[in-house]
Amino acid sequence: MTSQPASAERQRDADRTRAEILEVAQREFARRGYAGARVDEIADLIRTTKRMIYYYFGSKEQLYIAVLEKAYTEVREAERLVDVEHLAPVEAIRTLAELTFDHHDAHREFIKLVAIENIHRAEHIRKSEVLANLGTPVLDLIGRILQAGTASGDFVTEADAVDVHMMISSFCFFRVANQHTFGALFGRDMAAREHRDRLRRMVGEMVVAYLRGAGSPEDPR
Amino acid sequence: MTSQPASAERQRDADRTRAEILEVAQREFARRGYAGARVDEIADLIRTTKRMIYYYFGSKEQLYIAVLEKAYTEVREAERLVDVEHLAPVEAIRTLAELTFDHHDAHREFIKLVAIENIHRAEHIRKSEVLANLGTPVLDLIGRILQAGTASGDFVTEADAVDVHMMISSFCFFRVANQHTFGALFGRDMAAREHRDRLRRMVGEMVVAYLRGAGSPEDPR
DNA sequence: ACATTAATTAACTATCTAGTTCGTAACATG
DNA sequence: CATGTTACGAACTAGATAGTTAATTAATGT
């Protein structure tokens, strides 16, 4: 968002223009939803014209899909850097849960895009070849941790990697995505530091407790 | 949605018209989001005119707020009927988690409305006096169960009722709200019966395990 | 039977919005 | 330095969309 003299003409720079459009488009879509975001508004925010959006992306929908692709790709990129393999199973899964928590905390716009995309029944993701086949490396990682934990006897519950991923994600996602209604209804700001730190510990303890099997009816202590 | 002869005039019935508007408005807002829903479309779907919507609700926004108020009120009403007080703490909290699961499963439109409202930072909920002060009886219930569980020694983890409510809700909410992106990316339909039953058990075991304290670092078995 | 009120219809308006057309200026390339 | 290509801007269009006006018809009470 390089500031420029008000009346000066925009310098020619295809890459920059494209990148800026994507950047503010992500913000606008995340803020106002797909239908709520305005093509004109996106253009105005970076001192270009709507024409450029159609020049580079073709349509509002294709722009939105491009935003999704960029956001998802970046997130997957970050996930690939997670390294907890050197830790013992219990610490590995706890750390992974807490890193996921931090990750959600740091990428609120992405969370909103996911929420919006779900309202549209993921129709745009399904239209994107890039995204349709984009799994997540975290699943393999969880799979390996679960195996190691079962082998070592630390984990008793037989769990599926996707389920565990879902359990961790749901907690982290909800805290960010639903903070506003939750705050309005219960008067608690889940994003405030005091609550955040406690909830961060909570997600780790939750997964570990679950995998240790203390919740199963067959194993009452 | 009483079907009527195509060209017949609509019978005069204020209550029915109002109720029908609310009904389809909920469906349309849940399906298309606030900005995406069309006032004309809502009117057409029940063979009335846009004018009636303004006659009864004043504006698109007030209609949306009325939808939220109705949906939230119904949900709270249902929550008040939950009775698990006669159960022992462990079974009580497990049952509550599973009932919450069922409840989310059965009220998908409500879940979507909540997701949509969060995208708008709960601005409409805050505008509603009805909703702004609407807590949830479940919080008291959880509080009592936690107390009983701590007293009996079944629960070791010191937990806050709001946190536990959030833990349960997040799991149940995510499975419904994010089923589309989750399905598109991981190829797993969390709404399918096979997965649903397993996840239902999982949420109960998760909370119980957490409260039994098997996850805390100070208490490794 | 008559007047009053409540519910409903039809047509209208002003504005907004995604998408287009066309012209033009900067840049690269021979 | 001529020529084609790439990036850009201004103005335009067609259709949609929230919200209104005003007339009309059905129910209600007297």
Side-chain angles (χ1 to χ4, degrees), chain B residues 9 12 37-40 50-51 54 59-60:
Chain B
E9 209 169 66
R12 299 197 161 204
R38 301 296 168 219
V39 178
D40 279 305
K50 180 166 46 175
R51 179 69 184 83
Y54 288 90
S59 71
K60 182 181 182 179

Side-chain angles (χ1 to χ4, degrees), chain B residues 147-159:
Chain B
Q147 255 191 318
T150 309
S152 69
D154 286 315
F155 299 159
V156 173
T157 305
E158 273 201 48

Side-chain angles (χ1 to χ4, degrees), chain B:
Chain B
M1 232 69 60
T2 329
S3 69
Q4 290 165 25
S7 56
E9 209 169 66
R10 200 181 162 76
Q11 268 177 34
R12 299 197 161 204
D13 186 338
D15 290 345
R16 196 198 60 173
T17 302
R18 226 190 102 97
E20 283 184 4
I21 291 173
L22 272 176
E23 202 179 306
V24 299
Q26 165 162 340
R27 217 177 63 208
E28 287 303 296
F29 282 126
R31 277 201 185 148
R32 323 205 186 276
Y34 177 71
R38 301 296 168 219
V39 178
D40 279 305
E41 176 76 7
I42 292 168
D44 289 351
L45 280 168
I46 50 169
R47 285 217 160 82
T48 184
T49 61
K50 180 166 46 175
R51 179 69 184 83
M52 285 296 94
I53 290 174
Y54 288 90
Y55 184 66
Y56 286 114
F57 298 97
S59 71
K60 182 181 182 179
E61 193 188 14
Q62 285 174 273
L63 171 61
Y64 176 70
I65 291 175
V67 166
L68 280 182
E69 287 176 348
K70 177 164 168 281
Y72 264 105
T73 309
E74 283 171 359
V75 164
R76 288 292 174 268
E77 215 52 49
E79 276 180 356
R80 215 182 299 167
L81 298 176
V82 173
D83 171 33
V84 295
E85 308 241 20
H86 61 285
L87 297 173
V90 169
E91 279 315 303
I93 201 76
R94 189 201 308 280
T95 305
L96 178 66
E98 293 177 353
L99 286 180
T100 304
F101 186 95
D102 295 339
H103 194 269
H104 279 67
D105 195 65
H107 297 84
R108 283 147 186 274
E109 269 183 15
F110 174 69
I111 305 296
K112 286 215 158 186
L113 287 176
V114 174
I116 289 164
E117 185 57 7
N118 272 293
I119 286 162
H120 299 289
R121 273 146 266 138
E123 60 169 308
H124 306 101
I125 284 184
R126 276 191 262 107
K127 277 181 191 167
S128 159
E129 290 187 21
V130 179
L131 293 174
N133 308 309
L134 191 76
T136 170
V138 167
L139 279 187
D140 291 330
L141 180 57
I142 294 177
R144 286 196 296 275
I145 298 175
L146 289 182
Q147 255 191 318
T150 309
S152 69
D154 286 315
F155 299 159
V156 173
T157 305
E158 273 201 48
D160 176 83
V162 179
D163 288 350
V164 172
H165 175 61
M166 185 265 190
M167 180 187 271
I168 297 172
S169 297
S170 65
F171 190 96
C172 302
F173 189 94
F174 187 96
R175 187 190 69 99
V176 173
N178 287 32
Q179 61 176 302
H180 301 104
T181 57
F182 207 84
L185 292 166
F186 306 133
R188 171 168 299 189
D189 179 7
M190 295 189 288
R193 179 160 310 180
E194 29 172 336
H195 297 302
R196 189 191 62 194
D197 295 348
R198 188 186 61 254
L199 293 169
R200 185 179 192 271
R201 267 175 264 124
M202 200 169 157
V203 67
E205 296 186 15
M206 174 184 82
V207 201
V208 171
Y210 174 74
L211 291 174
R212 276 180 171 158
S216 55
E218 315 85 50
D219 176 32
R221 294 196 279 185

Side-chain angles (χ1 to χ4, degrees), chain A residues 12-210:
Chain A
R12 302 205 155 199
D13 187 338
D15 290 345
R16 197 199 58 174
T17 303
R18 226 190 102 95
E20 282 184 5
I21 291 173
L22 272 176
E23 203 179 305
V24 299
Q26 165 161 340
R27 216 177 64 209
E28 286 303 297
F29 282 125
R31 276 202 185 147
R32 322 204 187 277
Y34 176 70
R38 302 294 169 221
V39 177
D40 279 304
E41 176 76 7
I42 292 169
D44 289 351
L45 281 168
I46 49 170
R47 286 220 159 79
T48 183
T49 61
K50 182 166 43 175
R51 175 72 185 80
M52 287 295 95
I53 290 173
Y54 288 90
Y55 185 67
Y56 286 114
F57 298 96
S59 71
K60 182 182 182 179
E61 193 188 14
Q62 283 175 274
L63 170 62
Y64 175 70
I65 291 174
V67 166
L68 280 183
E69 287 177 348
K70 177 164 168 281
Y72 265 106
T73 310
E74 283 171 359
V75 164
R76 289 292 174 266
E77 214 54 48
E79 276 181 356
R80 215 182 300 169
L81 298 177
V82 173
D83 171 33
V84 295
E85 309 241 21
H86 61 283
L87 296 174
V90 170
E91 279 316 303
I93 201 76
R94 189 202 308 279
T95 306
L96 178 65
E98 292 178 354
L99 287 179
T100 304
F101 185 96
D102 295 340
H103 194 270
H104 279 68
D105 195 65
H107 296 85
R108 284 148 184 272
E109 267 182 15
F110 174 70
I111 305 296
K112 286 215 159 189
L113 287 176
V114 174
I116 290 164
E117 185 57 7
N118 271 293
I119 286 161
H120 299 288
R121 273 144 267 142
E123 59 169 310
H124 306 102
I125 284 185
R126 278 190 261 109
K127 278 182 190 166
S128 159
E129 290 187 22
V130 179
L131 294 174
N133 308 309
L134 192 76
T136 171
V138 167
L139 279 187
D140 291 331
L141 180 57
I142 294 178
R144 285 195 298 275
I145 298 175
L146 290 182
Q147 255 191 319
T150 308
S152 70
D154 286 317
F155 299 158
V156 173
T157 305
E158 273 201 48
D160 176 84
V162 179
D163 288 350
V164 173
H165 174 60
M166 185 266 191
M167 180 187 271
I168 297 172
S169 297
S170 65
F171 189 96
C172 302
F173 189 94
F174 187 97
R175 187 190 69 100
V176 174
N178 286 31
Q179 63 176 300
H180 301 103
T181 56
F182 207 86
L185 292 167
F186 306 133
R188 172 168 298 189
D189 179 7
M190 295 188 289
R193 180 159 309 178
E194 27 171 339
H195 297 301
R196 190 190 62 195
D197 295 348
R198 188 186 61 256
L199 293 170
R200 186 179 190 272
R201 267 175 266 124
M202 200 169 159
V203 67
E205 295 187 15
M206 174 185 81
V207 201
V208 171
Y210 174 73

